[in-house]
Amino acid sequence: MLRFVAAAALLVASASAACTNPSVQASSYTPADSQVLAAIPFIAEFTLSCGNGEKPALYADIEGSLVPVTQSVDGAKYQVSWVKDVKKAKTGDYSVALYDSDGYTTLRRARENGEAANVAPLVTVVVSYPGSYSGPVFNSEHFALGLSALVFYLAFSSKSALLA
Amino acid sequence: MAPKAGSKMTREEELLLEGFNKNVSTKSSALFYGNAFIVSAIPVWLYWRVHTVDVAAYAIMFVIGTLVSTWLLAFAYKNTKHVLKHKLAIKREAAVTKEITKKLADDKKISKKKDERILWKKNEVAEYEATTFSIFYNNSLFLAIVIFASFYVLNGASPTVNYGLSIGSASGLIALLSTGTKS
């Protein structure tokens, strides 16, 4: 009897660990200037409000791999981030699917078995990367050097012709 | 052609000597030093605006650098001009002779001094052309070396090293090259 009650309680507990009516408020960051950067960081911070007040642990699907999402101590804020090489980072919107622990387990198992996963994410956040400034296209010192070298070459050839 | 002891040299000899004389007239000297000063002062602006060096903090260095470079540049101008003047005089002789002859063809009285006039005019033309070309040549080399040294070779160095070495090497090199007799 006790074991049944305990099992039932556990079942109820795990059922209520799922987030109902999730709503997310997210803000994202990508650098605007990449002159001194080797890689672009993509950072998404969000708060998740659940109908039942849960603060579940989340997992994010970043380019095919599932990573745990950092959660603040009081569980109110989440942060997910990744980096990509400056040259390989494409502009546009990056959709990050977020799964709770059940979804994560299911998805991971499906992927390990090589099956197509049909797990719907709990929520999705979007990080938009409009591009970043990577430095001047045209280096004025190259131009200055080229011009001065050309002028000197003209002067030198005239001098040689004169003194010939 | 050598004058007897104590006799006055003819105008022709005077002009010839002037041509071989390395000393420059006051006007020429002023032109050289003025030009050299302006060209030496230009890199200071470059360091201030492009390399973002605090001028007030490094004022003494800039002043000394400008003065040294002015002197070396003027020295180079003089030497280069001297080397060029002879060759230019030879090259322009035909043209000057033609011009003077045409001008004095009608006047029989002055034709006696024609040779003197030709020599004088040739001297003047060669002097002017050599001066301007010397300034142009040395300026272009100086600025090319300064740009190359300060932006490429000494790019990461401290302002003192950057300015000192690029200005010093540019003006020093030019002064050195100008003393070459074979060109």
Side-chain angles (χ1 to χ4, degrees):
Chain A
M1 179 62 190
L2 197 61
R3 253 187 276 158
F4 172 69
V5 170
L10 207 63
L11 200 64
V12 167
S14 66
S16 69
C19 180
T20 56
N21 293 337
S23 80
V24 68
Q25 268 189 304
S27 64
S28 67
Y29 166 79
T30 50
D33 194 317
S34 62
Q35 285 185 85
V36 294
L37 300 177
I40 305 276
F42 297 79
I43 304 173
E45 263 187 26
F46 57 93
T47 54
L48 181 70
S49 319
C50 293
N52 50 2
E54 282 292 323
K55 296 194 174 82
L58 294 174
Y59 298 83
D61 182 2
I62 310 281
E63 288 172 1
S65 53
L66 292 163
V67 294
V69 175
T70 321
Q71 199 173 4
S72 63
V73 174
D74 58 4
K77 290 212 185 103
Y78 295 84
Q79 191 187 76
V80 61
S81 60
W82 69 100
V83 289
K84 217 163 174 200
D85 270 348
V86 171
K87 296 226 173 13
K88 293 196 191 126
K90 299 233 178 345
T91 60
D93 289 342
Y94 290 76
S95 269
V96 182
L98 298 159
Y99 301 91
D100 56 8
S101 31
D102 292 334
Y104 164 70
T105 323
T106 320
L107 191 60
R108 204 181 60 167
R109 206 169 289 140
R111 283 188 182 167
E112 275 168 10
N113 293 342
E115 298 160 1
N118 272 340
V119 188
L122 188 65
V123 282
T124 310
V125 288
V126 174
V127 179
S128 91
Y129 174 52
S132 59
Y133 178 61
S134 53
V137 170
F138 165 57
N139 237 353
S140 55
E141 63 233 35
H142 299 333
F143 180 67
L145 183 70
L147 199 64
S148 61
L150 177 72
V151 171
F152 172 64
Y153 170 70
L154 291 172
F156 183 73
S157 53
S158 312
K159 186 169 177 239
S160 308
L162 265 177
L163 294 172
Chain B
M1 237 344 237
K4 291 199 201 77
S7 68
K8 244 176 120 193
M9 280 188 277
T10 64
R11 185 80 186 112
E12 273 184 16
E13 284 156 359
E14 263 182 43
L15 280 169
L16 270 175
L17 265 179
E18 201 186 295
F20 285 94
N21 196 354
K22 223 178 175 181
N23 294 337
V24 285
S25 66
T26 320
K27 194 176 101 176
S28 240
S29 195
L31 187 69
F32 281 157
Y33 277 96
N35 243 291
F37 181 73
I38 292 171
V39 175
S40 304
I42 285 174
V44 175
W45 181 86
L46 189 77
Y47 277 86
W48 174 34
R49 287 313 192 111
V50 182
H51 291 289
T52 55
V53 171
D54 184 11
V55 178
Y58 292 95
I60 297 176
M61 174 188 83
F62 282 132
V63 166
I64 294 176
T66 307
L67 290 175
V68 169
S69 152
T70 303
W71 191 88
L72 285 169
L73 260 180
F75 177 75
Y77 287 156
K78 268 188 280 193
N79 290 345
T80 317
K81 180 209 117 184
H82 181 71
V83 166
L84 286 170
K85 197 170 148 183
H86 295 299
K87 293 279 184 164
L88 270 172
I90 297 166
K91 286 210 165 167
R92 305 290 176 240
E93 186 167 8
V96 170
T97 311
K98 200 166 121 185
E99 193 194 330
I100 301 274
T101 315
K102 208 167 72 168
K103 226 163 67 168
L104 302 178
D106 309 322
D107 206 337
K108 292 283 185 248
K109 251 192 289 182
I110 313 177
S111 64
K112 269 187 242 168
K113 287 197 189 160
K114 196 176 78 172
D115 286 338
E116 194 192 307
R117 284 283 284 269
I118 289 173
L119 192 62
W120 175 82
K121 182 83 182 172
K122 194 177 74 178
N123 213 15
E124 202 196 348
V125 163
E127 169 104 15
Y128 180 67
E129 198 176 335
T131 304
T132 48
F133 190 81
S134 158
I135 292 176
F136 168 59
Y137 177 79
N138 285 308
N139 283 354
S140 66
L141 184 57
F142 177 74
L143 289 173
I145 294 178
V146 166
I147 288 175
F148 179 67
S150 75
F151 283 105
Y152 292 88
V153 178
L154 299 161
N155 201 12
S158 71
T160 329
V161 172
N162 197 338
Y163 181 74
L165 271 182
S166 42
I167 297 290
S169 62
S171 46
L173 197 68
I174 289 173
L176 187 68
L177 287 173
S178 71
T179 57
T181 46
K182 191 172 78 156
S183 229

Short mmCIF file of all heavy atoms in Angstrom, two decimals, chain B residues 72-124:
data_model
loop_
_atom_site.label_atom_id
_atom_site.label_comp_id
_atom_site.label_asym_id
_atom_site.label_seq_id
_atom_site.Cartn_x
_atom_site.Cartn_y
_atom_site.Cartn_z
N LEU B 72 68.73 68.27 -42.35
CA LEU B 72 69.19 67.19 -43.22
C LEU B 72 68.56 67.27 -44.60
O LEU B 72 69.22 67.02 -45.62
CB LEU B 72 68.86 65.83 -42.58
CG LEU B 72 69.76 65.43 -41.41
CD1 LEU B 72 69.18 64.23 -40.68
CD2 LEU B 72 71.16 65.13 -41.89
N LEU B 73 67.30 67.62 -44.65
CA LEU B 73 66.62 67.75 -45.94
C LEU B 73 67.24 68.88 -46.76
O LEU B 73 67.46 68.73 -47.97
CB LEU B 73 65.13 68.03 -45.73
CG LEU B 73 64.19 66.83 -45.86
CD1 LEU B 73 62.78 67.28 -45.61
CD2 LEU B 73 64.29 66.22 -47.24
N ALA B 74 67.49 70.04 -46.12
CA ALA B 74 68.09 71.16 -46.83
C ALA B 74 69.47 70.78 -47.36
O ALA B 74 69.85 71.13 -48.49
CB ALA B 74 68.18 72.38 -45.91
N PHE B 75 70.20 70.04 -46.56
CA PHE B 75 71.51 69.52 -46.97
C PHE B 75 71.37 68.66 -48.22
O PHE B 75 72.13 68.80 -49.19
CB PHE B 75 72.10 68.74 -45.80
CG PHE B 75 73.42 68.07 -46.08
CD1 PHE B 75 74.58 68.82 -46.15
CD2 PHE B 75 73.50 66.70 -46.27
CE1 PHE B 75 75.80 68.21 -46.40
CE2 PHE B 75 74.72 66.09 -46.51
CZ PHE B 75 75.87 66.84 -46.58
N ALA B 76 70.38 67.78 -48.20
CA ALA B 76 70.15 66.90 -49.35
C ALA B 76 69.73 67.70 -50.57
O ALA B 76 70.17 67.41 -51.70
CB ALA B 76 69.08 65.87 -49.00
N TYR B 77 68.89 68.70 -50.38
CA TYR B 77 68.46 69.55 -51.50
C TYR B 77 69.68 70.16 -52.18
O TYR B 77 69.81 70.12 -53.41
CB TYR B 77 67.58 70.71 -51.01
CG TYR B 77 66.18 70.36 -50.58
CD1 TYR B 77 65.51 71.18 -49.69
CD2 TYR B 77 65.50 69.25 -51.07
CE1 TYR B 77 64.22 70.91 -49.28
CE2 TYR B 77 64.21 68.97 -50.66
CZ TYR B 77 63.58 69.80 -49.77
OH TYR B 77 62.30 69.53 -49.37
N LYS B 78 70.57 70.73 -51.34
CA LYS B 78 71.75 71.41 -51.90
C LYS B 78 72.60 70.47 -52.71
O LYS B 78 73.01 70.77 -53.84
CB LYS B 78 72.60 72.00 -50.76
CG LYS B 78 72.26 73.42 -50.39
CD LYS B 78 73.24 73.99 -49.40
CE LYS B 78 72.91 73.52 -48.01
NZ LYS B 78 73.63 74.26 -46.96
N ASN B 79 72.88 69.31 -52.14
CA ASN B 79 73.74 68.35 -52.84
C ASN B 79 73.12 67.87 -54.14
O ASN B 79 73.79 67.82 -55.18
CB ASN B 79 74.01 67.14 -51.94
CG ASN B 79 74.90 67.49 -50.78
OD1 ASN B 79 75.53 68.54 -50.79
ND2 ASN B 79 74.95 66.64 -49.78
N THR B 80 71.86 67.51 -54.07
CA THR B 80 71.19 67.00 -55.28
C THR B 80 71.15 68.06 -56.36
O THR B 80 71.40 67.78 -57.53
CB THR B 80 69.76 66.55 -54.95
OG1 THR B 80 69.74 65.84 -53.73
CG2 THR B 80 69.19 65.69 -56.05
N LYS B 81 70.86 69.28 -55.92
CA LYS B 81 70.81 70.38 -56.89
C LYS B 81 72.15 70.56 -57.57
O LYS B 81 72.23 70.74 -58.79
CB LYS B 81 70.39 71.67 -56.18
CG LYS B 81 70.31 72.85 -57.13
CD LYS B 81 70.61 74.14 -56.44
CE LYS B 81 71.84 74.73 -57.06
NZ LYS B 81 72.29 75.94 -56.43
N HIS B 82 73.20 70.48 -56.78
CA HIS B 82 74.53 70.68 -57.34
C HIS B 82 74.86 69.62 -58.38
O HIS B 82 75.40 69.91 -59.45
CB HIS B 82 75.56 70.66 -56.21
CG HIS B 82 76.96 70.88 -56.68
ND1 HIS B 82 77.39 72.10 -57.14
CD2 HIS B 82 78.01 70.04 -56.79
CE1 HIS B 82 78.66 72.00 -57.50
NE2 HIS B 82 79.06 70.77 -57.30
N VAL B 83 74.50 68.37 -58.05
CA VAL B 83 74.78 67.27 -58.99
C VAL B 83 74.00 67.44 -60.28
O VAL B 83 74.51 67.23 -61.38
CB VAL B 83 74.42 65.92 -58.31
CG1 VAL B 83 74.37 64.80 -59.31
CG2 VAL B 83 75.41 65.61 -57.21
N LEU B 84 72.75 67.86 -60.13
CA LEU B 84 71.89 67.96 -61.30
C LEU B 84 72.22 69.14 -62.19
O LEU B 84 72.01 69.10 -63.40
CB LEU B 84 70.43 68.08 -60.85
CG LEU B 84 69.78 66.81 -60.32
CD1 LEU B 84 68.44 67.15 -59.70
CD2 LEU B 84 69.58 65.82 -61.43
N LYS B 85 72.71 70.21 -61.57
CA LYS B 85 72.85 71.47 -62.30
C LYS B 85 73.77 71.31 -63.52
O LYS B 85 73.45 71.82 -64.59
CB LYS B 85 73.40 72.53 -61.35
CG LYS B 85 73.20 73.93 -61.87
CD LYS B 85 73.53 74.94 -60.80
CE LYS B 85 74.09 76.19 -61.46
NZ LYS B 85 74.50 77.19 -60.47
N HIS B 86 74.87 70.62 -63.33
CA HIS B 86 75.81 70.46 -64.45
C HIS B 86 75.18 69.77 -65.63
O HIS B 86 75.23 70.23 -66.76
CB HIS B 86 77.01 69.64 -63.99
CG HIS B 86 77.81 70.33 -62.96
ND1 HIS B 86 78.41 71.54 -63.20
CD2 HIS B 86 78.10 70.01 -61.69
CE1 HIS B 86 79.03 71.93 -62.10
NE2 HIS B 86 78.85 71.01 -61.18
N LYS B 87 74.57 68.62 -65.32
CA LYS B 87 73.96 67.84 -66.38
C LYS B 87 72.85 68.63 -67.08
O LYS B 87 72.70 68.59 -68.29
CB LYS B 87 73.36 66.55 -65.81
CG LYS B 87 74.39 65.58 -65.29
CD LYS B 87 74.98 64.79 -66.44
CE LYS B 87 75.95 63.75 -65.93
NZ LYS B 87 76.24 62.74 -66.94
N LEU B 88 72.09 69.36 -66.26
CA LEU B 88 71.00 70.14 -66.83
C LEU B 88 71.55 71.25 -67.70
O LEU B 88 71.01 71.53 -68.77
CB LEU B 88 70.15 70.75 -65.71
CG LEU B 88 68.98 69.88 -65.25
CD1 LEU B 88 68.34 70.46 -64.03
CD2 LEU B 88 67.97 69.76 -66.37
N ALA B 89 72.64 71.89 -67.26
CA ALA B 89 73.23 72.98 -68.03
C ALA B 89 73.65 72.48 -69.41
O ALA B 89 73.41 73.12 -70.44
CB ALA B 89 74.42 73.56 -67.29
N ILE B 90 74.26 71.29 -69.42
CA ILE B 90 74.68 70.71 -70.70
C ILE B 90 73.47 70.43 -71.58
O ILE B 90 73.48 70.70 -72.78
CB ILE B 90 75.49 69.42 -70.46
CG1 ILE B 90 76.77 69.74 -69.69
CG2 ILE B 90 75.82 68.74 -71.78
CD1 ILE B 90 77.47 68.53 -69.12
N LYS B 91 72.44 69.89 -70.94
CA LYS B 91 71.27 69.50 -71.74
C LYS B 91 70.51 70.70 -72.28
O LYS B 91 69.94 70.64 -73.35
CB LYS B 91 70.32 68.68 -70.87
CG LYS B 91 70.82 67.29 -70.61
CD LYS B 91 69.69 66.30 -70.42
CE LYS B 91 70.31 64.91 -70.55
NZ LYS B 91 69.57 63.83 -70.16
N ARG B 92 70.48 71.75 -71.50
CA ARG B 92 69.68 72.90 -71.92
C ARG B 92 70.47 73.89 -72.77
O ARG B 92 69.92 74.89 -73.23
CB ARG B 92 69.14 73.65 -70.68
CG ARG B 92 68.34 72.79 -69.73
CD ARG B 92 67.00 72.35 -70.30
NE ARG B 92 66.31 71.45 -69.36
CZ ARG B 92 65.95 70.20 -69.64
NH1 ARG B 92 66.21 69.67 -70.81
NH2 ARG B 92 65.33 69.47 -68.74
N GLU B 93 71.74 73.61 -72.96
CA GLU B 93 72.58 74.59 -73.65
C GLU B 93 72.06 74.90 -75.05
O GLU B 93 71.94 76.06 -75.44
CB GLU B 93 74.02 74.07 -73.74
CG GLU B 93 74.96 75.10 -74.32
CD GLU B 93 76.41 74.73 -74.11
OE1 GLU B 93 76.67 73.60 -73.65
OE2 GLU B 93 77.27 75.56 -74.41
N ALA B 94 71.73 73.84 -75.77
CA ALA B 94 71.29 74.03 -77.16
C ALA B 94 70.05 74.92 -77.22
O ALA B 94 69.97 75.87 -78.01
CB ALA B 94 71.02 72.69 -77.80
N ALA B 95 69.09 74.61 -76.35
CA ALA B 95 67.83 75.36 -76.38
C ALA B 95 68.04 76.82 -76.00
O ALA B 95 67.49 77.72 -76.65
CB ALA B 95 66.83 74.71 -75.42
N VAL B 96 68.85 77.03 -74.98
CA VAL B 96 69.10 78.41 -74.51
C VAL B 96 69.83 79.21 -75.58
O VAL B 96 69.49 80.37 -75.86
CB VAL B 96 69.90 78.39 -73.19
CG1 VAL B 96 70.37 79.78 -72.83
CG2 VAL B 96 69.05 77.82 -72.07
N THR B 97 70.82 78.56 -76.20
CA THR B 97 71.58 79.24 -77.25
C THR B 97 70.66 79.66 -78.38
O THR B 97 70.72 80.79 -78.87
CB THR B 97 72.68 78.30 -77.80
OG1 THR B 97 73.40 77.74 -76.71
CG2 THR B 97 73.63 79.01 -78.73
N LYS B 98 69.79 78.75 -78.77
CA LYS B 98 68.85 79.05 -79.86
C LYS B 98 67.98 80.24 -79.49
O LYS B 98 67.75 81.13 -80.30
CB LYS B 98 67.98 77.80 -80.09
CG LYS B 98 67.32 77.79 -81.46
CD LYS B 98 66.78 76.40 -81.76
CE LYS B 98 65.28 76.51 -81.99
NZ LYS B 98 64.63 75.22 -82.19
N GLU B 99 67.52 80.24 -78.27
CA GLU B 99 66.59 81.30 -77.85
C GLU B 99 67.29 82.66 -77.82
O GLU B 99 66.76 83.66 -78.33
CB GLU B 99 66.05 80.97 -76.46
CG GLU B 99 64.86 81.82 -76.06
CD GLU B 99 64.57 81.71 -74.58
OE1 GLU B 99 64.86 80.63 -74.00
OE2 GLU B 99 64.07 82.67 -73.99
N ILE B 100 68.47 82.68 -77.24
CA ILE B 100 69.19 83.96 -77.13
C ILE B 100 69.58 84.47 -78.51
O ILE B 100 69.47 85.66 -78.81
CB ILE B 100 70.44 83.81 -76.24
CG1 ILE B 100 70.04 83.33 -74.84
CG2 ILE B 100 71.23 85.08 -76.18
CD1 ILE B 100 69.66 84.40 -73.88
N THR B 101 70.05 83.53 -79.34
CA THR B 101 70.46 83.94 -80.69
C THR B 101 69.30 84.56 -81.45
O THR B 101 69.46 85.57 -82.14
CB THR B 101 70.99 82.72 -81.48
OG1 THR B 101 71.87 81.97 -80.65
CG2 THR B 101 71.73 83.14 -82.73
N LYS B 102 68.14 83.95 -81.29
CA LYS B 102 66.95 84.46 -81.97
C LYS B 102 66.62 85.85 -81.44
O LYS B 102 66.28 86.75 -82.20
CB LYS B 102 65.77 83.51 -81.72
CG LYS B 102 64.76 83.55 -82.86
CD LYS B 102 63.78 82.41 -82.77
CE LYS B 102 62.82 82.62 -81.63
NZ LYS B 102 61.69 81.68 -81.67
N LYS B 103 66.74 86.01 -80.13
CA LYS B 103 66.38 87.30 -79.52
C LYS B 103 67.34 88.41 -79.94
O LYS B 103 66.95 89.54 -80.17
CB LYS B 103 66.39 87.17 -77.99
CG LYS B 103 65.16 87.79 -77.36
CD LYS B 103 64.89 87.36 -75.95
CE LYS B 103 65.92 87.83 -74.97
NZ LYS B 103 65.50 87.65 -73.58
N LEU B 104 68.65 88.06 -80.03
CA LEU B 104 69.65 89.09 -80.32
C LEU B 104 70.05 89.13 -81.79
O LEU B 104 71.02 89.76 -82.17
CB LEU B 104 70.90 88.85 -79.47
CG LEU B 104 70.69 88.85 -77.95
CD1 LEU B 104 72.00 88.54 -77.25
CD2 LEU B 104 70.16 90.19 -77.48
N ALA B 105 69.32 88.41 -82.64
CA ALA B 105 69.72 88.31 -84.05
C ALA B 105 69.73 89.67 -84.72
O ALA B 105 70.59 89.95 -85.56
CB ALA B 105 68.78 87.35 -84.78
N ASP B 106 68.74 90.49 -84.33
CA ASP B 106 68.64 91.79 -85.01
C ASP B 106 69.63 92.80 -84.47
O ASP B 106 70.15 93.62 -85.21
CB ASP B 106 67.21 92.35 -84.84
CG ASP B 106 66.17 91.32 -85.22
OD1 ASP B 106 66.42 90.58 -86.19
OD2 ASP B 106 65.14 91.24 -84.52
N ASP B 107 69.85 92.74 -83.16
CA ASP B 107 70.67 93.78 -82.53
C ASP B 107 72.16 93.45 -82.64
O ASP B 107 72.65 92.55 -81.98
CB ASP B 107 70.25 93.89 -81.06
CG ASP B 107 70.54 95.28 -80.53
OD1 ASP B 107 71.41 95.95 -81.11
OD2 ASP B 107 69.89 95.67 -79.55
N LYS B 108 72.87 94.18 -83.48
CA LYS B 108 74.28 93.85 -83.70
C LYS B 108 75.15 94.30 -82.52
O LYS B 108 76.21 93.75 -82.28
CB LYS B 108 74.79 94.55 -84.98
CG LYS B 108 74.17 94.00 -86.24
CD LYS B 108 74.82 92.66 -86.65
CE LYS B 108 74.25 92.20 -87.97
NZ LYS B 108 73.42 91.01 -87.85
N LYS B 109 74.66 95.31 -81.82
CA LYS B 109 75.51 95.88 -80.75
C LYS B 109 75.73 94.89 -79.62
O LYS B 109 76.83 94.73 -79.11
CB LYS B 109 74.85 97.15 -80.19
CG LYS B 109 75.58 98.42 -80.57
CD LYS B 109 75.11 99.61 -79.81
CE LYS B 109 73.73 100.01 -80.25
NZ LYS B 109 73.24 101.22 -79.56
N ILE B 110 74.66 94.21 -79.23
CA ILE B 110 74.76 93.35 -78.04
C ILE B 110 75.34 91.98 -78.38
O ILE B 110 75.68 91.21 -77.52
CB ILE B 110 73.38 93.21 -77.37
CG1 ILE B 110 72.72 94.57 -77.22
CG2 ILE B 110 73.51 92.56 -76.01
CD1 ILE B 110 71.33 94.53 -76.64
N SER B 111 75.44 91.71 -79.69
CA SER B 111 75.86 90.37 -80.08
C SER B 111 77.26 90.03 -79.57
O SER B 111 77.62 88.88 -79.46
CB SER B 111 75.83 90.22 -81.60
OG SER B 111 76.77 91.11 -82.17
N LYS B 112 78.00 91.05 -79.21
CA LYS B 112 79.34 90.77 -78.67
C LYS B 112 79.25 90.05 -77.34
O LYS B 112 80.00 89.14 -77.05
CB LYS B 112 80.10 92.10 -78.48
CG LYS B 112 80.92 92.51 -79.67
CD LYS B 112 81.76 93.72 -79.36
CE LYS B 112 81.32 94.84 -80.30
NZ LYS B 112 81.87 96.14 -79.91
N LYS B 113 78.31 90.51 -76.58
CA LYS B 113 78.17 89.90 -75.26
C LYS B 113 77.26 88.68 -75.29
O LYS B 113 76.78 88.23 -74.27
CB LYS B 113 77.60 90.94 -74.29
CG LYS B 113 78.59 92.01 -73.89
CD LYS B 113 78.06 92.70 -72.65
CE LYS B 113 78.87 93.93 -72.31
NZ LYS B 113 78.11 94.83 -71.44
N LYS B 114 77.01 88.21 -76.51
CA LYS B 114 76.04 87.11 -76.68
C LYS B 114 76.46 85.88 -75.85
O LYS B 114 75.66 85.31 -75.13
CB LYS B 114 75.96 86.76 -78.16
CG LYS B 114 74.71 85.93 -78.49
CD LYS B 114 74.57 85.66 -79.95
CE LYS B 114 75.51 84.56 -80.36
NZ LYS B 114 75.27 84.13 -81.74
N ASP B 115 77.73 85.55 -75.97
CA ASP B 115 78.19 84.34 -75.28
C ASP B 115 77.99 84.46 -73.78
O ASP B 115 77.61 83.49 -73.10
CB ASP B 115 79.67 84.10 -75.59
CG ASP B 115 79.84 83.56 -77.00
OD1 ASP B 115 78.86 83.02 -77.55
OD2 ASP B 115 80.95 83.70 -77.54
N GLU B 116 78.26 85.67 -73.30
CA GLU B 116 78.11 85.89 -71.86
C GLU B 116 76.65 85.75 -71.47
O GLU B 116 76.32 85.14 -70.45
CB GLU B 116 78.62 87.28 -71.53
CG GLU B 116 78.82 87.49 -70.05
CD GLU B 116 79.03 88.95 -69.74
OE1 GLU B 116 79.93 89.56 -70.36
OE2 GLU B 116 78.27 89.48 -68.92
N ARG B 117 75.81 86.31 -72.34
CA ARG B 117 74.37 86.22 -72.04
C ARG B 117 73.89 84.80 -72.04
O ARG B 117 73.11 84.38 -71.18
CB ARG B 117 73.57 87.01 -73.11
CG ARG B 117 73.60 88.50 -72.96
CD ARG B 117 72.67 88.95 -71.85
NE ARG B 117 71.27 88.92 -72.25
CZ ARG B 117 70.62 89.95 -72.80
NH1 ARG B 117 71.24 91.08 -73.06
NH2 ARG B 117 69.35 89.82 -73.13
N ILE B 118 74.40 84.04 -73.04
CA ILE B 118 73.99 82.62 -73.12
C ILE B 118 74.41 81.88 -71.87
O ILE B 118 73.63 81.11 -71.27
CB ILE B 118 74.60 81.96 -74.38
CG1 ILE B 118 73.92 82.50 -75.63
CG2 ILE B 118 74.42 80.45 -74.32
CD1 ILE B 118 74.57 82.04 -76.92
N LEU B 119 75.64 82.12 -71.48
CA LEU B 119 76.18 81.43 -70.30
C LEU B 119 75.36 81.78 -69.06
O LEU B 119 75.01 80.91 -68.24
CB LEU B 119 77.64 81.83 -70.12
CG LEU B 119 78.45 81.01 -69.11
CD1 LEU B 119 78.53 79.57 -69.54
CD2 LEU B 119 79.85 81.59 -68.97
N TRP B 120 75.06 83.05 -68.95
CA TRP B 120 74.31 83.50 -67.77
C TRP B 120 72.92 82.89 -67.76
O TRP B 120 72.43 82.41 -66.73
CB TRP B 120 74.26 85.02 -67.79
CG TRP B 120 73.41 85.59 -66.71
CD1 TRP B 120 73.76 85.81 -65.43
CD2 TRP B 120 72.03 86.00 -66.82
NE1 TRP B 120 72.71 86.33 -64.73
CE2 TRP B 120 71.64 86.45 -65.56
CE3 TRP B 120 71.11 86.02 -67.88
CZ2 TRP B 120 70.35 86.93 -65.31
CZ3 TRP B 120 69.83 86.49 -67.62
CH2 TRP B 120 69.46 86.94 -66.34
N LYS B 121 72.28 82.92 -68.93
CA LYS B 121 70.91 82.39 -69.02
C LYS B 121 70.91 80.89 -68.75
O LYS B 121 70.04 80.36 -68.06
CB LYS B 121 70.37 82.67 -70.44
CG LYS B 121 68.94 82.21 -70.64
CD LYS B 121 67.96 83.22 -70.13
CE LYS B 121 66.53 82.69 -70.31
NZ LYS B 121 65.53 83.48 -69.68
N LYS B 122 71.92 80.22 -69.33
CA LYS B 122 72.02 78.77 -69.13
C LYS B 122 72.18 78.46 -67.65
O LYS B 122 71.55 77.55 -67.11
CB LYS B 122 73.24 78.27 -69.92
CG LYS B 122 73.28 76.76 -70.09
CD LYS B 122 74.45 76.35 -70.91
CE LYS B 122 75.73 76.48 -70.11
NZ LYS B 122 76.92 76.04 -70.87
N ASN B 123 73.00 79.23 -67.01
CA ASN B 123 73.23 79.07 -65.58
C ASN B 123 71.94 79.23 -64.80
O ASN B 123 71.61 78.44 -63.92
CB ASN B 123 74.25 80.12 -65.12
CG ASN B 123 75.10 79.59 -63.99
OD1 ASN B 123 75.14 78.40 -63.75
ND2 ASN B 123 75.78 80.49 -63.32
N GLU B 124 71.22 80.28 -65.16
CA GLU B 124 69.99 80.58 -64.44
C GLU B 124 68.96 79.48 -64.63
O GLU B 124 68.32 79.03 -63.68
CB GLU B 124 69.44 81.91 -64.98
CG GLU B 124 68.51 82.60 -64.00
CD GLU B 124 67.70 83.67 -64.70
OE1 GLU B 124 68.03 84.01 -65.84
OE2 GLU B 124 66.74 84.14 -64.09
#
